[in-house]
Amino acid sequence: MDTYDLIMRNAEEVVTDEEVRELADDPEGKRVYVGYEPSGVLHLGHLLTANKLIDLQEAGLEVVVLLADVHAYLNGKGTFEEIRETAEQMKAQFIAYGLEEDNTEFVYGSEFQLDEEYTLDLHQLELSTTMNRAQRAMAELQGDETANVSHLVYPLMQTLDIEYLDLDLAVGGLDQRKVHMLAREKLPELEYEVRPCLHTPIVADLTSGEGKMSSSEGVTISMEDSTADVEEKVNSAFCPPTRDPEGDLENPVLELFEYHVFPRFEDVVVERPEKYGGNLTYEEYENLADDLESGELHPADAKGTLATYLDELIEPGREKLLEIRD
């Protein structure tokens, strides 16, 4: 796989393709980041973008992980002391998951977001950005929650982070698209260059195939889960024998194979008794998906295999959590 294809693997969208191709032509010394609000144990949502960071390290880019403690504080996630303790746990989990410790720069937002120059730039953005524009870019609120001023400042800070971390590529889930478009719109007003951005997919709700998998609603899989927990959650997952049976539903089991398992393993072995056809080995995601659709691969066998591989992926992080908590 060449550098461009590795960068683009499992990308839902890039803005723009031309800029990413230029980056792929000369990746040495180029910096890419994802920002994570320290809000708890790593789950599959975090790990989807972490998979992309691992791809980008393999492609030769320098990876920056922003542990966004100031953002978490603005979002009411605790005191700075509590947030930083959570951030250190997350850092350990990312390294256990597979990010190269020596080639990953972990940065606290408070290391630069409280500096005078950053603060003045932030105020300049506040002056030139309407409340409606900031609200369109901010993360969705939960339930009946009312937007605070901090919620409006949050995306403006994300815009500045791209400049102050000296980045060449911004990465995030597709739900970060609006803030990245805000950055491309607003950074030139401060005479800063725009950067390309890459968006990873959003995995559907595990039990319904609708919406998105969420740690705050519904079922997700995290590094806190035991092997039995992973098996139970995957075995109860929505997995129709077709990829998109009604046009508005996704198959989260297939999505987890595509975005989590196949990028991390050279091949996937479905173990079956000989009386049911024996083992199946897949080197490509599409072949597994085709076999599920044709009936060659039973949903129960697909789920059992998925649980095994997901458990292998999260096991080092699970062990690290137990070590930290002991």
Side-chain angles (χ1 to χ4, degrees), residues 107-133:
V107 181
Y108 278 121
S110 55
E111 292 176 24
F112 63 93
Q113 291 167 346
L114 305 178
D115 293 347
E116 180 179 2
E117 184 178 0
Y118 183 99
T119 301
L120 291 175
D121 275 346
L122 179 60
H123 290 330
Q124 185 63 44
L125 287 181
E126 291 165 354
L127 282 169
S128 65
T129 306
T130 66
M131 291 180 65
N132 285 338
R133 182 67 186 90

Side-chain angles (χ1 to χ4, degrees), residues 74-254:
L74 288 173
N75 219 5
K77 295 299 175 65
T79 66
F80 269 106
E81 182 179 351
E82 293 167 338
I83 292 167
R84 287 168 180 161
E85 181 178 348
T86 300
E88 285 298 309
Q89 291 183 17
M90 291 180 72
K91 175 181 175 180
Q93 291 169 74
F94 276 122
I95 293 169
Y97 185 67
L99 284 175
E100 299 174 14
E101 184 171 9
D102 293 340
N103 294 321
T104 305
E105 180 183 352
F106 290 91
V107 181
Y108 278 121
S110 55
E111 292 176 24
F112 63 93
Q113 291 167 346
L114 305 178
D115 293 347
E116 180 179 2
E117 184 178 0
Y118 183 99
T119 301
L120 291 175
D121 275 346
L122 179 60
H123 290 330
Q124 185 63 44
L125 287 181
E126 291 165 354
L127 282 169
S128 65
T129 306
T130 66
M131 291 180 65
N132 285 338
R133 182 67 186 90
Q135 192 159 6
R136 289 202 308 272
M138 73 184 189
E140 295 180 6
L141 299 177
Q142 300 295 325
D144 297 326
E145 186 180 358
T146 301
N148 294 328
V149 174
S150 61
H151 291 121
L152 301 179
V153 173
Y154 196 112
L156 300 182
M157 292 177 61
Q158 288 179 274
T159 289
L160 286 179
D161 294 343
I162 294 172
E163 167 65 26
Y164 276 79
L165 289 171
D166 191 25
L167 302 172
D168 299 284
L169 176 67
V171 174
L174 196 60
D175 54 351
Q176 295 298 306
R177 186 183 194 280
K178 290 181 180 179
V179 76
H180 288 158
M181 294 306 100
L182 178 70
R184 289 178 68 88
E185 173 188 331
K186 289 294 182 180
L187 286 178
E189 294 181 7
L190 299 175
E191 299 184 355
Y192 298 141
E193 294 181 2
V194 297
R195 275 72 160 191
C197 46
L198 182 152
H199 302 129
T200 57
I202 303 295
V203 175
D205 176 75
L206 195 61
T207 56
S208 69
E210 298 178 302
K212 70 175 183 177
M213 187 182 296
S214 171
S215 60
S216 58
E217 300 177 9
V219 176
T220 190
I221 294 170
S222 79
M223 285 185 172
E224 275 187 319
D225 289 331
S226 66
T227 298
D229 291 333
V230 174
E231 291 174 350
E232 180 181 356
K233 290 179 179 182
V234 172
N235 285 332
S236 64
F238 178 68
C239 184
T242 54
R243 301 196 204 192
D244 192 7
E246 300 178 15
D248 58 355
L249 297 178
E250 299 296 337
N251 185 328
V253 169
L254 283 181

